[in-house]
Coordinates of all heavy atoms in Angstrom, one line a residue:
Chain I
Y58 N 15.3 2.3 5.1 CA 15.8 3.4 4.3 C 14.9 3.9 3.2 O 14.7 5.0 3.0 CB 17.2 3.0 3.7 CG 17.9 4.1 2.9 CD1 18.8 5.0 3.5 CD2 17.7 4.3 1.6 CE1 19.4 6.0 2.9 CE2 18.3 5.3 0.9 CZ 19.1 6.2 1.6 OH 19.8 7.2 0.9
I59 N 14.3 2.9 2.6 CA 13.4 3.2 1.5 C 12.1 4.0 2.0 O 11.7 4.9 1.4 CB 12.9 1.9 0.7 CG1 14.0 1.3 0.0 CG2 11.7 2.2 -0.2 CD1 13.8 -0.1 -0.5
H60 N 11.7 3.6 3.3 CA 10.7 4.3 3.9 C 11.0 5.7 4.3 O 10.3 6.7 4.0 CB 10.2 3.5 5.2 CG 9.2 4.3 6.1 ND1 7.9 4.5 5.7 CD2 9.5 5.0 7.2 CE1 7.4 5.3 6.6 NE2 8.2 5.5 7.6
P62 N 14.6 7.8 3.9 CA 16.0 7.8 3.6 C 16.9 8.5 4.7 O 16.7 9.7 5.0 CB 16.2 8.5 2.3 CG 14.8 8.4 1.7 CD 13.8 8.4 2.8
K69 N 23.8 5.0 1.4 CA 24.0 6.3 1.0 C 23.1 6.7 -0.2 O 22.7 7.9 -0.3 CB 25.5 6.6 0.5 CG 26.5 6.6 1.6 CD 27.9 6.8 1.0 CE 29.0 6.8 2.0 NZ 30.3 7.0 1.4
R70 N 22.8 5.7 -1.0 CA 21.9 6.0 -2.1 C 20.7 5.1 -2.2 O 20.7 3.9 -1.8 CB 22.7 5.7 -3.4 CG 23.9 6.7 -3.6 CD 24.8 6.3 -4.7 NE 24.1 6.4 -6.0 CZ 23.8 5.4 -6.8 NH1 24.1 4.2 -6.3 NH2 23.2 5.5 -7.9
M71 N 19.6 5.6 -2.6 CA 18.4 4.9 -2.7 C 18.6 3.7 -3.7 O 18.0 2.6 -3.4 CB 17.3 5.8 -3.3 CG 15.9 5.2 -3.4 SD 15.3 4.5 -1.8 CE 14.6 6.1 -1.1
D72 N 19.4 3.9 -4.7 CA 19.6 2.8 -5.7 C 20.2 1.6 -5.0 O 19.7 0.5 -5.3 CB 20.6 3.4 -6.8 CG 20.4 2.7 -8.0 OD1 19.3 2.2 -8.3 OD2 21.4 2.5 -8.8
R75 N 17.6 -0.1 -2.7 CA 16.5 -0.8 -3.5 C 17.1 -2.1 -4.1 O 16.4 -3.1 -4.1 CB 16.0 0.1 -4.6 CG 15.1 1.2 -4.1 CD 14.5 2.1 -5.1 NE 13.6 1.4 -6.0 CZ 13.9 1.1 -7.3 NH1 15.0 1.5 -7.9 NH2 13.0 0.4 -8.1
Y121 N 8.3 -17.0 35.2 CA 9.8 -17.0 35.3 C 10.4 -15.7 34.6 O 11.2 -15.1 35.1 CB 10.4 -18.3 34.7 CG 11.9 -18.3 34.7 CD1 12.6 -18.5 35.8 CD2 12.6 -18.0 33.5 CE1 14.0 -18.4 35.8 CE2 13.9 -18.0 33.4 CZ 14.7 -18.2 34.6 OH 16.1 -18.1 34.6
E122 N 9.9 -15.6 33.4 CA 10.4 -14.4 32.5 C 10.1 -13.1 33.1 O 10.9 -12.1 32.9 CB 9.9 -14.4 31.1 CG 10.5 -15.6 30.3 CD 12.0 -15.6 30.2 OE1 12.6 -14.5 30.3 OE2 12.6 -16.7 30.0
F124 N 10.2 -12.5 36.3 CA 10.9 -12.6 37.6 C 9.9 -12.8 38.8 O 10.2 -12.4 39.9 CB 11.7 -11.3 37.8 CG 12.6 -11.0 36.6 CD1 12.3 -10.0 35.7 CD2 13.8 -11.7 36.5 CE1 13.1 -9.8 34.6 CE2 14.6 -11.5 35.3 CZ 14.3 -10.6 34.5
S126 N 9.0 -15.9 39.5 CA 9.2 -17.3 39.9 C 10.8 -17.5 39.7 O 11.4 -16.8 38.7 CB 8.4 -18.3 39.1 OG 9.1 -19.5 39.1
E127 N 11.3 -18.4 40.5 CA 12.8 -18.5 40.3 C 13.1 -19.8 39.6 O 14.3 -20.2 39.4 CB 13.4 -18.5 41.6 CG 13.4 -17.1 42.3 CD 13.6 -17.0 43.7 OE1 13.9 -18.1 44.2 OE2 13.4 -16.0 44.3
K128 N 12.1 -20.6 39.4 CA 12.3 -22.0 38.8 C 12.4 -21.8 37.3 O 11.4 -21.5 36.6 CB 11.2 -22.9 39.1 CG 11.2 -23.4 40.6 CD 10.0 -24.2 40.9 CE 9.9 -24.4 42.5 NZ 8.7 -25.1 42.8
K163 N 3.5 -4.9 -11.2 CA 2.2 -4.3 -11.6 C 1.1 -5.4 -12.0 O -0.1 -5.2 -11.7 CB 2.4 -3.5 -12.9 CG 1.3 -2.5 -13.0 CD 1.3 -1.7 -14.2 CE 0.0 -1.0 -14.3 NZ -0.5 -0.9 -15.6
P164 N 1.5 -6.6 -12.5 CA 0.5 -7.6 -12.8 C -0.3 -8.0 -11.5 O -1.4 -8.6 -11.6 CB 1.3 -8.8 -13.3 CG 2.4 -8.2 -13.9 CD 2.8 -7.0 -13.0
Q166 N -1.8 -6.0 -9.6 CA -2.7 -4.9 -9.3 C -4.1 -5.4 -8.7 O -4.7 -4.7 -8.0 CB -2.9 -4.1 -10.5 CG -3.2 -2.5 -10.2 CD -3.4 -1.7 -11.4 OE1 -4.4 -2.0 -12.0 NE2 -2.5 -0.8 -11.7
R167 N -4.5 -6.5 -9.2 CA -5.8 -7.1 -8.8 C -5.8 -7.3 -7.3 O -6.8 -7.0 -6.6 CB -6.1 -8.3 -9.5 CG -7.6 -8.7 -9.6 CD -8.0 -9.6 -10.6 NE -7.8 -8.9 -11.9 CZ -8.1 -9.5 -13.1 NH1 -8.5 -10.7 -13.1 NH2 -8.0 -8.9 -14.2
V169 N -3.9 -5.8 -5.2 CA -3.8 -4.5 -4.6 C -5.1 -3.8 -4.5 O -5.5 -3.2 -3.5 CB -2.8 -3.6 -5.4 CG1 -2.9 -2.1 -5.0 CG2 -1.4 -4.0 -5.3
K170 N -5.9 -4.0 -5.5 CA -7.3 -3.5 -5.6 C -8.1 -4.1 -4.4 O -8.9 -3.3 -3.7 CB -8.0 -3.8 -7.0 CG -9.2 -3.0 -7.2 CD -9.8 -3.5 -8.5 CE -11.3 -2.9 -8.6 NZ -11.9 -3.2 -9.9
G173 N -7.6 -2.4 -1.3 CA -8.0 -1.0 -1.1 C -7.0 0.0 -1.8 O -7.1 1.1 -1.7
G174 N -6.0 -0.5 -2.5 CA -5.1 0.4 -3.3 C -3.7 0.3 -2.8 O -3.4 -0.5 -1.8
L175 N -2.8 1.0 -3.4 CA -1.4 0.9 -3.2 C -1.0 1.5 -1.8 O -0.1 1.0 -1.1 CB -0.5 1.6 -4.3 CG -0.4 0.8 -5.6 CD1 0.1 1.7 -6.7 CD2 0.5 -0.4 -5.4
N176 N -1.7 2.6 -1.4 CA -1.4 3.2 -0.1 C -1.6 2.3 1.1 O -0.8 2.1 1.9 CB -2.2 4.5 0.1 CG -1.5 5.7 -0.7 OD1 -0.4 6.0 -0.5 ND2 -2.2 6.2 -1.6
P177 N -2.8 1.6 1.1 CA -3.0 0.6 2.2 C -2.0 -0.6 2.2 O -1.5 -1.0 3.2 CB -4.4 0.1 2.0 CG -5.1 1.2 1.2 CD -4.1 1.8 0.3
R179 N 1.0 -0.4 1.1 CA 2.3 0.2 1.6 C 2.3 0.2 3.2 O 3.3 0.0 3.8 CB 2.3 1.7 1.1 CG 3.6 2.1 0.4 CD 3.5 3.5 0.1 NE 4.5 4.0 -0.7 CZ 4.8 5.3 -1.0 NH1 4.0 6.2 -0.5 NH2 5.8 5.7 -1.7
W180 N 1.1 0.6 3.7 CA 1.0 0.7 5.1 C 1.1 -0.7 5.8 O 1.8 -0.8 6.8 CB -0.4 1.3 5.5 CG -0.4 2.5 6.3 CD1 -0.8 3.7 5.9 CD2 0.1 2.7 7.7 NE1 -0.6 4.6 7.0 CE2 0.0 3.9 8.0 CE3 0.7 1.7 8.6 CZ2 0.4 4.5 9.3 CZ3 1.1 2.3 9.8 CH2 1.0 3.5 10.1
Y183 N 4.7 -1.7 5.8 CA 5.4 -1.0 6.9 C 5.1 -1.5 8.3 O 6.0 -1.7 9.1 CB 5.0 0.5 6.7 CG 5.5 1.4 7.9 CD1 6.9 1.6 7.9 CD2 4.7 2.1 8.6 CE1 7.3 2.5 9.0 CE2 5.1 2.9 9.6 CZ 6.5 3.1 9.8 OH 6.9 4.0 10.8
L184 N 3.8 -1.8 8.6 CA 3.4 -2.2 9.9 C 4.0 -3.7 10.1 O 4.5 -3.8 11.3 CB 1.8 -2.3 9.9 CG 1.1 -2.1 11.3 CD1 1.4 -0.7 11.8 CD2 -0.4 -2.2 11.1
L187 N 7.6 -3.3 11.0 CA 7.8 -2.8 12.4 C 7.6 -4.0 13.3 O 8.5 -4.2 14.3 CB 6.8 -1.7 12.8 CG 6.9 -0.4 12.1 CD1 5.8 0.6 12.5 CD2 8.2 0.3 12.3
S191 N 10.6 -5.6 15.8 CA 10.4 -5.9 17.2 C 10.7 -7.4 17.5 O 11.4 -7.7 18.4 CB 8.9 -5.6 17.5 OG 8.7 -4.2 17.9
S194 N 14.4 -8.1 17.2 CA 15.2 -7.5 18.3 C 15.0 -8.4 19.5 O 16.0 -8.6 20.2 CB 14.6 -6.1 18.6 OG 14.7 -5.3 17.5
V195 N 13.8 -8.8 19.8 CA 13.6 -9.7 21.0 C 14.3 -11.0 20.8 O 14.9 -11.5 21.8 CB 12.0 -9.9 21.2 CG1 11.8 -10.9 22.3 CG2 11.4 -8.6 21.6
Y198 N 18.0 -10.4 21.4 CA 18.2 -10.2 22.8 C 18.3 -11.5 23.6 O 19.2 -11.8 24.4 CB 17.1 -9.3 23.5 CG 17.1 -9.3 24.9 CD1 18.1 -8.7 25.7 CD2 16.1 -9.9 25.6 CE1 18.1 -8.8 27.0 CE2 16.1 -10.0 27.0 CZ 17.1 -9.4 27.7 OH 17.1 -9.4 29.0
F199 N 17.2 -12.4 23.4 CA 17.2 -13.7 24.2 C 18.3 -14.7 23.7 O 18.8 -15.4 24.6 CB 15.8 -14.2 24.0 CG 14.9 -13.7 25.0 CD1 13.8 -12.9 24.5 CD2 14.9 -13.9 26.3 CE1 12.9 -12.3 25.4 CE2 14.0 -13.3 27.2 CZ 13.1 -12.5 26.7
T202 N 21.4 -13.6 25.6 CA 21.4 -13.5 27.1 C 20.9 -14.8 27.7 O 21.1 -15.0 28.9 CB 20.6 -12.3 27.6 OG1 19.3 -12.5 27.1 CG2 21.1 -11.0 27.1
N203 N 20.1 -15.6 27.0 CA 19.5 -16.8 27.6 C 20.4 -17.9 27.8 O 20.5 -18.5 28.9 CB 18.3 -17.2 26.7 CG 17.4 -18.2 27.5 OD1 17.6 -19.3 27.3 ND2 16.5 -17.6 28.3
S204 N 21.1 -18.3 26.7 CA 22.1 -19.4 26.9 C 23.1 -19.4 25.7 O 22.7 -19.5 24.6 CB 21.3 -20.7 26.8 OG 22.2 -21.8 26.6
L205 N 24.3 -19.2 26.1 CA 25.4 -19.1 25.1 C 25.6 -20.4 24.4 O 26.2 -20.4 23.3 CB 26.6 -18.6 25.8 CG 26.5 -17.1 26.3 CD1 27.8 -16.6 26.9 CD2 26.0 -16.1 25.4
K206 N 25.3 -21.5 25.1 CA 25.5 -22.8 24.5 C 24.5 -23.0 23.3 O 24.9 -23.6 22.3 CB 25.3 -23.9 25.5 CG 26.6 -24.1 26.4 CD 26.4 -25.2 27.4 CE 27.6 -25.4 28.3 NZ 27.4 -26.2 29.4
Chain Y
D202 N -7.0 -1.3 -17.4 CA -6.3 -2.1 -16.3 C -7.4 -2.6 -15.4 O -8.6 -2.5 -15.6 CB -5.3 -1.2 -15.6 CG -5.9 0.0 -14.9 OD1 -7.1 0.1 -14.8 OD2 -5.1 0.8 -14.4
D203 N -6.9 -3.0 -14.2 CA -7.9 -3.6 -13.2 C -8.8 -2.6 -12.6 O -9.8 -2.9 -12.1 CB -7.1 -4.4 -12.2 CG -6.6 -5.7 -12.7 OD1 -7.3 -6.3 -13.3 OD2 -5.4 -5.9 -12.4
Y204 N -8.5 -1.3 -12.7 CA -9.4 -0.3 -12.2 C -10.2 0.3 -13.4 O -10.8 1.4 -13.2 CB -8.5 0.8 -11.5 CG -8.1 0.5 -10.2 CD1 -6.8 0.0 -10.0 CD2 -8.9 0.6 -9.1 CE1 -6.3 -0.3 -8.7 CE2 -8.5 0.2 -7.8 CZ -7.2 -0.2 -7.6 OH -6.8 -0.6 -6.4
R206 N -9.2 1.6 -16.1 CA -8.6 2.9 -16.6 C -7.9 2.5 -17.9 O -7.2 1.4 -18.0 CB -7.5 3.5 -15.6 CG -8.1 3.8 -14.3 CD -7.0 4.2 -13.3 NE -6.1 3.2 -13.0 CZ -5.3 3.2 -11.9 NH1 -5.3 4.2 -11.1 NH2 -4.5 2.2 -11.7
G212 N -0.8 3.6 -17.5 CA -0.1 2.3 -17.6 C 1.1 2.2 -16.8 O 1.7 1.1 -16.7
R222 N 13.7 11.2 -11.5 CA 14.0 9.8 -11.0 C 15.4 9.6 -10.7 O 15.9 8.9 -9.7 CB 13.6 8.8 -12.0 CG 13.7 7.4 -11.7 CD 13.0 7.0 -10.4 NE 13.4 5.7 -9.8 CZ 12.6 4.7 -10.1 NH1 11.5 4.7 -10.7 NH2 13.1 3.5 -9.6
F225 N 16.1 10.7 -7.2 CA 15.6 9.7 -6.3 C 16.6 8.5 -6.1 O 17.0 8.2 -5.0 CB 14.3 9.1 -6.8 CG 13.8 7.9 -6.0 CD1 13.1 8.1 -4.8 CD2 14.0 6.6 -6.4 CE1 12.6 7.0 -4.1 CE2 13.5 5.5 -5.8 CZ 12.8 5.7 -4.6
D226 N 17.1 8.0 -7.2 CA 18.0 7.0 -7.2 C 19.4 7.3 -6.5 O 20.0 6.5 -5.9 CB 18.3 6.4 -8.6 CG 17.2 5.7 -9.2 OD1 16.3 5.3 -8.4 OD2 17.2 5.6 -10.5
N227 N 19.7 8.6 -6.5 CA 20.9 9.0 -5.9 C 20.7 9.7 -4.6 O 21.6 10.4 -4.0 CB 21.6 10.1 -6.9 CG 22.3 9.3 -8.0 OD1 23.2 8.5 -7.8 ND2 21.7 9.5 -9.2
S228 N 19.5 9.6 -4.1 CA 19.1 10.2 -2.8 C 19.4 11.7 -2.7 O 19.9 12.1 -1.7 CB 19.8 9.4 -1.6 OG 19.3 8.1 -1.5
F230 N 17.3 14.6 -2.2 CA 15.8 14.9 -1.9 C 15.6 16.3 -1.6 O 16.5 16.9 -0.9 CB 15.4 14.0 -0.8 CG 15.5 12.5 -1.0 CD1 16.4 11.7 -0.5 CD2 14.5 11.9 -1.9 CE1 16.5 10.4 -0.7 CE2 14.6 10.6 -2.3 CZ 15.6 9.8 -1.6
Y241 N 10.3 12.9 -3.0 CA 9.9 11.6 -2.2 C 9.8 11.8 -0.7 O 8.9 11.4 -0.1 CB 11.0 10.6 -2.6 CG 10.7 9.2 -1.9 CD1 9.7 8.3 -2.4 CD2 11.4 8.8 -0.8 CE1 9.5 7.1 -1.9 CE2 11.2 7.6 -0.2 CZ 10.3 6.7 -0.8 OH 10.0 5.4 -0.2
K242 N 10.8 12.6 -0.2 CA 10.9 12.7 1.3 C 9.8 13.7 1.8 O 9.5 13.7 3.0 CB 12.3 13.3 1.7 CG 13.1 12.1 2.1 CD 14.5 12.6 2.6 CE 14.7 12.3 4.0 NZ 16.1 12.4 4.5
P248 N 5.2 7.3 -6.5 CA 5.4 5.8 -6.6 C 4.1 5.0 -6.4 O 4.1 3.8 -6.7 CB 6.3 5.6 -5.3 CG 7.0 6.8 -5.0 CD 5.9 7.8 -5.4
V249 N 3.0 5.5 -5.9 CA 1.8 4.8 -5.8 C 0.6 5.3 -6.7 O -0.5 5.1 -6.3 CB 1.4 4.7 -4.3 CG1 2.2 3.7 -3.6 CG2 1.3 6.0 -3.6
Y251 N -0.7 5.8 -10.7 CA -0.5 5.5 -12.0 C -1.1 6.6 -13.0 O -2.3 6.9 -13.0 CB -1.3 4.2 -12.4 CG -0.5 2.9 -12.0 CD1 -0.7 2.4 -10.7 CD2 0.4 2.4 -12.8 CE1 0.0 1.3 -10.3 CE2 1.1 1.3 -12.4 CZ 0.9 0.7 -11.1 OH 1.6 -0.4 -10.7
E281 N -7.6 5.9 -4.0 CA -7.8 6.2 -2.6 C -7.8 7.7 -2.3 O -8.1 8.1 -1.2 CB -6.5 5.7 -1.8 CG -6.2 4.3 -2.0 CD -5.0 4.1 -2.9 OE1 -5.3 4.2 -4.2 OE2 -4.0 3.8 -2.5
G285 N -7.1 8.4 1.4 CA -5.9 7.5 1.5 C -4.6 8.2 1.2 O -3.6 7.5 1.3
D286 N -4.6 9.3 0.7 CA -3.3 10.1 0.3 C -2.9 11.1 1.4 O -1.8 11.6 1.2 CB -3.5 10.7 -1.0 CG -3.4 9.7 -2.2 OD1 -2.8 8.7 -1.9 OD2 -3.9 10.0 -3.2
H292 N 5.0 10.6 3.9 CA 5.2 9.4 3.1 C 4.0 8.4 3.1 O 3.6 7.9 2.1 CB 6.4 8.8 3.6 CG 6.8 7.5 2.8 ND1 7.2 7.5 1.5 CD2 6.8 6.2 3.2 CE1 7.5 6.4 1.1 NE2 7.3 5.4 2.0
L293 N 3.4 8.3 4.3 CA 2.3 7.3 4.5 C 1.2 8.1 5.0 O 1.2 9.0 5.8 CB 2.7 6.2 5.4 CG 3.6 5.1 4.8 CD1 4.0 4.1 5.9 CD2 3.0 4.4 3.6
P294 N -0.1 7.6 4.7 CA -1.3 8.2 5.3 C -1.4 8.0 6.8 O -0.7 7.0 7.4 CB -2.5 7.5 4.7 CG -1.9 6.6 3.7 CD -0.4 6.5 3.8
I296 N -3.0 6.9 10.5 CA -3.9 5.8 10.9 C -5.0 6.6 11.7 O -4.7 7.3 12.6 CB -3.2 4.8 11.7 CG1 -2.5 3.8 10.8 CG2 -4.1 4.0 12.6 CD1 -2.1 2.4 11.4
A305 N 2.4 7.6 10.6 CA 3.1 6.4 10.4 C 4.5 6.5 11.2 O 4.9 5.5 11.8 CB 3.4 6.3 8.9
N306 N 5.1 7.7 11.1 CA 6.4 7.8 11.9 C 6.2 7.6 13.4 O 7.1 7.1 14.0 CB 7.1 9.1 11.5 CG 7.6 9.1 10.1 OD1 7.8 8.0 9.5 ND2 7.8 10.3 9.6
G309 N 5.9 4.0 14.2 CA 7.2 3.4 14.1 C 8.1 3.7 15.4 O 8.6 2.8 16.0
T312 N 6.6 1.9 18.4 CA 6.9 0.4 18.3 C 8.4 0.3 18.8 O 8.7 -0.6 19.6 CB 6.9 -0.2 16.9 OG1 5.5 0.2 16.4 CG2 7.0 -1.6 16.8
T316 N 9.5 -1.7 22.3 CA 10.4 -2.8 22.2 C 11.7 -2.5 23.0 O 12.1 -3.5 23.7 CB 10.9 -3.0 20.7 OG1 9.7 -3.2 19.9 CG2 11.7 -4.3 20.5
I320 N 12.8 -4.8 26.3 CA 14.2 -5.5 26.3 C 15.0 -4.9 27.5 O 15.6 -5.6 28.2 CB 14.9 -5.4 24.9 CG1 14.2 -6.2 23.9 CG2 16.3 -5.8 25.1 CD1 14.7 -6.0 22.4
H323 N 13.8 -6.1 30.8 CA 14.1 -7.5 31.1 C 15.6 -7.7 31.4 O 16.1 -8.4 32.2 CB 13.7 -8.4 29.9 CG 13.7 -9.8 30.1 ND1 14.9 -10.6 30.1 CD2 12.7 -10.6 30.6 CE1 14.5 -11.8 30.5 NE2 13.3 -11.9 30.7
L324 N 16.5 -6.9 30.6 CA 17.9 -7.0 30.8 C 18.3 -6.5 32.2 O 19.1 -7.1 32.9 CB 18.5 -6.1 29.7 CG 20.1 -6.1 29.8 CD1 20.7 -7.4 29.4 CD2 20.6 -5.1 28.8
G326 N 16.3 -6.5 34.8 CA 15.9 -7.6 35.7 C 16.8 -8.8 35.8 O 17.2 -9.3 36.8
S327 N 17.3 -9.2 34.5 CA 18.3 -10.3 34.5 C 19.6 -9.9 35.2 O 20.2 -10.8 35.8 CB 18.6 -10.6 33.0 OG 17.4 -11.1 32.4
R332 N 20.7 -13.4 37.0 CA 20.5 -14.4 35.9 C 21.5 -14.3 34.9 O 22.0 -15.3 34.4 CB 19.1 -14.3 35.3 CG 18.0 -15.0 36.2 CD 16.7 -14.9 35.4 NE 15.5 -15.1 36.3 CZ 14.3 -15.1 35.9 NH1 14.0 -14.9 34.5 NH2 13.3 -15.3 36.7
T336 N 24.3 -17.0 33.6 CA 24.4 -17.6 32.3 C 25.7 -17.5 31.8 O 26.3 -18.4 31.3 CB 23.4 -16.8 31.3 OG1 22.0 -16.9 31.9 CG2 23.4 -17.3 30.0
D340 N 28.1 -20.7 30.9 CA 28.3 -21.0 29.5 C 29.7 -20.5 28.9 O 30.1 -21.0 27.9 CB 27.2 -20.3 28.6 CG 25.8 -21.0 28.8 OD1 25.8 -22.1 29.5 OD2 24.9 -20.5 28.5
L341 N 30.3 -19.5 29.5 CA 31.5 -19.1 28.9 C 32.7 -19.9 29.4 O 32.7 -20.3 30.5 CB 31.8 -17.6 29.4 CG 31.0 -16.4 28.7 CD1 31.4 -15.1 29.4 CD2 31.5 -16.3 27.3
K354 N 18.0 -11.4 45.6 CA 17.1 -12.2 46.4 C 17.9 -13.4 46.8 O 18.8 -13.9 46.1 CB 16.0 -12.8 45.5 CG 14.8 -11.9 45.3 CD 13.8 -12.7 44.6 CE 12.5 -11.9 44.3 NZ 11.6 -12.7 43.6
G356 N 18.6 -17.1 47.7 CA 18.0 -18.4 47.3 C 17.5 -18.3 45.9 O 16.8 -19.2 45.4
H357 N 17.9 -17.3 45.1 CA 17.5 -17.2 43.7 C 18.3 -18.3 42.9 O 19.5 -18.2 42.9 CB 17.7 -15.8 43.2 CG 17.1 -15.7 41.8 ND1 15.9 -15.2 41.6 CD2 17.7 -15.9 40.6 CE1 15.7 -15.1 40.3 NE2 16.8 -15.6 39.6
K358 N 17.6 -19.2 42.2 CA 18.3 -20.2 41.5 C 17.9 -20.1 40.0 O 16.9 -19.8 39.7 CB 17.9 -21.6 42.1 CG 18.5 -21.8 43.3 CD 17.9 -23.1 43.9 CE 18.3 -23.3 45.4 NZ 17.6 -24.3 46.0

Side-chain angles (χ1 to χ4, degrees):
Chain I
Y58 183 89
I59 293 165
H60 168 74
K69 283 182 184 176
R70 294 171 66 246
M71 182 61 81
D72 205 25
R75 287 179 66 247
Y121 174 78
E122 287 302 336
F124 308 100
S126 155
E127 291 158 10
K128 289 176 187 172
K163 199 185 170 219
Q166 207 183 67
R167 200 158 292 180
V169 169
K170 191 182 175 184
L175 283 166
N176 280 300
R179 236 185 185 189
W180 237 116
Y183 173 65
L184 210 59
L187 291 179
S191 277
S194 305
V195 171
Y198 164 70
F199 279 110
T202 59
N203 190 268
S204 165
L205 298 182
K206 279 179 182 170
Chain Y
D202 68 6
D203 288 316
Y204 284 99
R206 301 174 294 198
R222 181 56 192 260
F225 172 81
D226 289 339
N227 288 292
S228 292
F230 299 108
Y241 182 79
K242 266 184 113 167
V249 287
Y251 283 91
E281 307 99 285
D286 281 340
H292 181 67
L293 287 175
I296 276 198
N306 286 339
T312 310
T316 306
I320 290 172
H323 195 278
L324 181 65
S327 294
R332 279 186 197 179
T336 302
D340 292 346
L341 278 177
K354 279 184 179 181
H357 187 94
K358 288 171 188 172

